[in-house]
Amino acid sequence: MARALRPQTGSGATTFERFGLSDEQLITILRNMLMQRIVDNRGFQLNRQGKVPFALGSEGHEAVQAGAALAFTRGKDIFVPYYRDLGLVLGIGYPILDLLLSMFARGADRSGGRQFPNHFGNHDLGIMNISSIISAHIPHAVGAAYAFTYRGETGRAVLVTFGEGGTSEGEWHESINFASIHNLPIVFLCQNNGIAISVPQSQQMHVKDVAQKAVAYGIPGETFDGMDPLISYDAVKRALDRARTGGGPTLLEAKCARFLSHSTDDDDRTYRSREIVQELRKRDPIATYEAILLANRVVDEAKIESLRREILEETNDATDRAEAMPLPEPSDLYKQVYAGDYEPWQ
């Protein structure tokens, strides 16, 4: 396990490692984490009200995603997400309204209401649309990194994410092997919450840490505390900088937790006790990070409250607007199915 970031007390003062980040950047991370929690909850609320068919939760992943989003360079890097990356895409600039249009399957959605909810994509932000099949998006990410190398481009990198269950798939192994052989500019970020839907890690692999697998491919591997946004920022930034400057791929493993069920379609009470979840919630990354910022006077209670209120109002407004939008027209069914005059990925 890498360094743990927690308030360190000494000589009556509370200090913390901020990795050169300004107060504004530290607050940006907090804002992203709060937004992730509020939008996350909105998806589950709408599902329980019978208004949206499906939602995926990322509670417990807020820290690693907020830190990674800050390390990503918008306009240069390419991000290939998996289905639990709500905070990462929000941190990169994906609008809340677009997320809700997808949940409501409205015609104004980027896919015309045809894409599965929580399957993000935004050409302008460099967010590549994912495949629903576990780890099938990783070869796409490696292909994008290979394109950078093929075209002789430098200063750009690909960030691809997945859960620990995805590392049991053949596409994952083949992708890392290819990326290693060709020294591609890519960062493989595993968000390891210890359970793939209902299967614990101990029944998926015989190693303690996913990052140990990096040795077999001859690339660097690092495990870090994914409940800490600043540790996460530092790890992802170092790996992306390394990729951008010709250092090749890195396998990162963020140890985090999943507080909710896998999705609104399953009930985690059938495979883990409430006591286990309560223990996980004691490490709530938002509460911990707020305490660090308060102790170091980066924010005060009033600032946190204003952030919460502002994000809730933005989410409420986006919810009302998305719900009021019309459903797709049946005549649009075959639009955007095949290549048209849309600008290809660059």
Side-chain angles (χ1 to χ4, degrees), residues 35-64:
M35 182 182 291
Q36 188 177 168
R37 183 67 59 90
I38 289 172
V39 177
D40 214 23
N41 289 341
R42 179 57 47 88
F44 273 67
Q45 290 167 355
L46 291 171
N47 175 266
R48 297 304 185 243
Q49 292 170 359
K51 294 185 175 181
V52 304
F54 182 78
L56 280 152
S58 56
E59 279 196 12
H61 288 235
E62 292 92 344
V64 56

Coordinates of all heavy atoms in Angstrom, one line a residue, residues 35-64:
M35 N -20.9 16.7 -5.9 CA -21.7 16.6 -7.0 C -22.0 15.1 -7.3 O -23.1 14.7 -7.7 CB -21.1 17.3 -8.2 CG -22.0 17.2 -9.5 SD -21.1 18.0 -10.9 CE -21.2 19.7 -10.4
Q36 N -20.9 14.3 -7.3 CA -21.1 12.9 -7.5 C -22.1 12.2 -6.6 O -22.9 11.5 -7.0 CB -19.7 12.2 -7.4 CG -19.7 10.8 -7.8 CD -18.3 10.2 -7.7 OE1 -18.1 9.0 -7.8 NE2 -17.3 11.0 -7.5
R37 N -22.0 12.6 -5.3 CA -22.9 12.0 -4.3 C -24.4 12.4 -4.6 O -25.3 11.6 -4.6 CB -22.5 12.4 -2.9 CG -23.3 11.8 -1.8 CD -23.1 10.3 -1.6 NE -21.8 9.9 -1.4 CZ -21.2 9.7 -0.2 NH1 -21.9 10.0 0.9 NH2 -19.9 9.3 -0.1
I38 N -24.6 13.7 -4.9 CA -26.0 14.2 -5.1 C -26.6 13.6 -6.4 O -27.7 13.2 -6.4 CB -25.9 15.7 -5.1 CG1 -25.7 16.2 -3.7 CG2 -27.3 16.3 -5.7 CD1 -25.4 17.7 -3.6
V39 N -25.8 13.6 -7.5 CA -26.3 13.1 -8.8 C -26.5 11.6 -8.7 O -27.5 11.0 -9.2 CB -25.4 13.5 -9.9 CG1 -25.8 12.9 -11.2 CG2 -25.2 15.0 -10.1
D40 N -25.6 10.9 -8.0 CA -25.7 9.5 -7.7 C -27.0 9.1 -7.1 O -27.8 8.3 -7.5 CB -24.5 9.1 -6.8 CG -24.0 7.7 -7.1 OD1 -24.2 7.2 -8.2 OD2 -23.4 7.1 -6.2
N41 N -27.3 9.9 -6.0 CA -28.5 9.6 -5.2 C -29.8 9.9 -6.1 O -30.8 9.3 -6.0 CB -28.6 10.4 -4.0 CG -27.6 9.9 -2.9 OD1 -27.1 8.8 -3.0 ND2 -27.2 10.8 -2.0
R42 N -29.7 10.9 -6.9 CA -30.8 11.3 -7.8 C -31.2 10.1 -8.7 O -32.4 9.9 -8.9 CB -30.5 12.6 -8.6 CG -31.6 13.1 -9.5 CD -32.9 13.3 -8.7 NE -32.7 14.1 -7.6 CZ -32.7 15.4 -7.5 NH1 -33.0 16.1 -8.6 NH2 -32.6 16.1 -6.4
G43 N -30.2 9.5 -9.2 CA -30.5 8.3 -10.1 C -31.3 7.3 -9.4 O -32.2 6.7 -9.9
F44 N -30.8 6.9 -8.2 CA -31.5 5.9 -7.4 C -32.9 6.4 -7.0 O -33.9 5.6 -7.0 CB -30.7 5.5 -6.2 CG -29.7 4.4 -6.4 CD1 -28.6 4.6 -7.3 CD2 -29.9 3.2 -5.9 CE1 -27.7 3.6 -7.5 CE2 -28.9 2.1 -6.1 CZ -27.9 2.4 -7.0
Q45 N -33.1 7.6 -6.7 CA -34.4 8.2 -6.3 C -35.4 8.1 -7.5 O -36.5 7.6 -7.4 CB -34.3 9.6 -5.9 CG -33.6 9.8 -4.6 CD -33.2 11.3 -4.3 OE1 -33.3 12.1 -5.2 NE2 -32.6 11.6 -3.2
L46 N -34.9 8.5 -8.7 CA -35.8 8.4 -9.9 C -36.1 7.0 -10.2 O -37.3 6.8 -10.7 CB -35.0 9.1 -11.0 CG -34.9 10.6 -10.9 CD1 -33.9 11.2 -12.0 CD2 -36.2 11.4 -10.9
N47 N -35.2 6.1 -10.0 CA -35.5 4.7 -10.3 C -36.6 4.2 -9.4 O -37.6 3.5 -9.8 CB -34.3 3.8 -10.2 CG -34.6 2.4 -10.4 OD1 -34.7 1.7 -9.4 ND2 -34.6 1.9 -11.6
R48 N -36.5 4.5 -8.1 CA -37.5 4.0 -7.1 C -38.8 4.7 -7.3 O -39.9 4.2 -6.9 CB -37.0 4.3 -5.7 CG -35.7 3.6 -5.3 CD -35.9 2.1 -5.5 NE -34.7 1.3 -5.0 CZ -33.9 0.6 -5.8 NH1 -34.2 0.5 -7.1 NH2 -32.9 -0.1 -5.3
Q49 N -38.8 5.9 -7.9 CA -40.1 6.5 -8.3 C -40.7 6.0 -9.6 O -41.8 6.4 -10.0 CB -39.9 8.1 -8.4 CG -39.5 8.7 -7.1 CD -39.0 10.2 -7.3 OE1 -39.0 10.6 -8.5 NE2 -38.7 10.9 -6.3
G50 N -40.0 5.1 -10.2 CA -40.5 4.5 -11.5 C -40.3 5.4 -12.7 O -40.9 5.2 -13.7
K51 N -39.4 6.4 -12.6 CA -39.2 7.4 -13.7 C -38.1 7.0 -14.6 O -38.1 7.5 -15.8 CB -39.0 8.8 -13.1 CG -40.3 9.3 -12.4 CD -40.0 10.8 -11.9 CE -41.3 11.4 -11.3 NZ -41.1 12.8 -10.9
V52 N -37.1 6.3 -14.1 CA -36.0 5.9 -15.0 C -35.8 4.4 -14.8 O -36.0 3.9 -13.7 CB -34.7 6.7 -14.7 CG1 -34.9 8.2 -14.8 CG2 -34.1 6.3 -13.3
P53 N -35.4 3.7 -15.8 CA -35.4 2.2 -15.7 C -34.2 1.6 -14.9 O -34.2 0.5 -14.5 CB -35.3 1.8 -17.2 CG -34.6 2.9 -17.9 CD -35.1 4.1 -17.2
F54 N -33.1 2.4 -14.8 CA -31.9 1.8 -14.3 C -30.9 2.9 -13.9 O -30.8 4.0 -14.5 CB -31.2 1.0 -15.5 CG -30.0 0.3 -15.1 CD1 -30.0 -0.9 -14.4 CD2 -28.7 0.8 -15.5 CE1 -28.9 -1.6 -14.1 CE2 -27.6 0.1 -15.2 CZ -27.6 -1.1 -14.5
A55 N -30.1 2.6 -12.8 CA -29.1 3.5 -12.4 C -28.0 2.7 -11.7 O -28.2 1.7 -11.2 CB -29.6 4.6 -11.4
L56 N -26.8 3.3 -11.8 CA -25.6 2.6 -11.2 C -25.0 3.6 -10.2 O -24.9 4.8 -10.5 CB -24.5 2.3 -12.2 CG -24.8 1.0 -13.1 CD1 -24.1 1.2 -14.4 CD2 -24.2 -0.2 -12.3
G57 N -24.6 3.1 -9.0 CA -24.1 4.0 -8.0 C -22.6 4.0 -7.9 O -22.0 3.0 -8.3
S58 N -22.0 5.1 -7.5 CA -20.6 5.2 -7.4 C -20.2 5.6 -6.0 O -19.0 6.0 -5.7 CB -19.9 6.1 -8.4 OG -20.5 7.4 -8.4
E59 N -21.1 5.6 -5.0 CA -20.8 6.0 -3.6 C -19.7 5.2 -3.1 O -19.7 3.9 -3.1 CB -22.0 5.8 -2.7 CG -23.0 6.9 -2.8 CD -24.0 6.9 -1.7 OE1 -23.7 6.2 -0.7 OE2 -25.0 7.6 -1.7
G60 N -18.6 5.8 -2.6 CA -17.4 5.2 -2.1 C -16.3 5.3 -3.1 O -15.1 5.1 -2.7
H61 N -16.6 5.7 -4.3 CA -15.6 5.9 -5.4 C -15.3 7.4 -5.6 O -14.5 7.7 -6.5 CB -16.0 5.3 -6.7 CG -16.0 3.8 -6.7 ND1 -15.4 3.0 -7.7 CD2 -16.6 2.9 -5.9 CE1 -15.6 1.8 -7.5 NE2 -16.4 1.6 -6.4
E62 N -15.9 8.3 -4.8 CA -15.8 9.7 -5.1 C -14.4 10.2 -5.0 O -14.0 11.1 -5.9 CB -16.6 10.5 -4.0 CG -18.1 10.3 -4.2 CD -18.6 9.2 -3.3 OE1 -17.8 8.4 -2.8 OE2 -19.9 9.2 -3.0
A63 N -13.6 9.7 -4.1 CA -12.2 10.3 -4.0 C -11.3 9.9 -5.1 O -10.7 10.8 -5.7 CB -11.6 9.7 -2.7
V64 N -11.3 8.7 -5.5 CA -10.4 8.3 -6.6 C -10.8 9.0 -7.9 O -10.0 9.4 -8.7 CB -10.3 6.8 -6.8 CG1 -11.7 6.1 -7.0 CG2 -9.4 6.4 -8.0

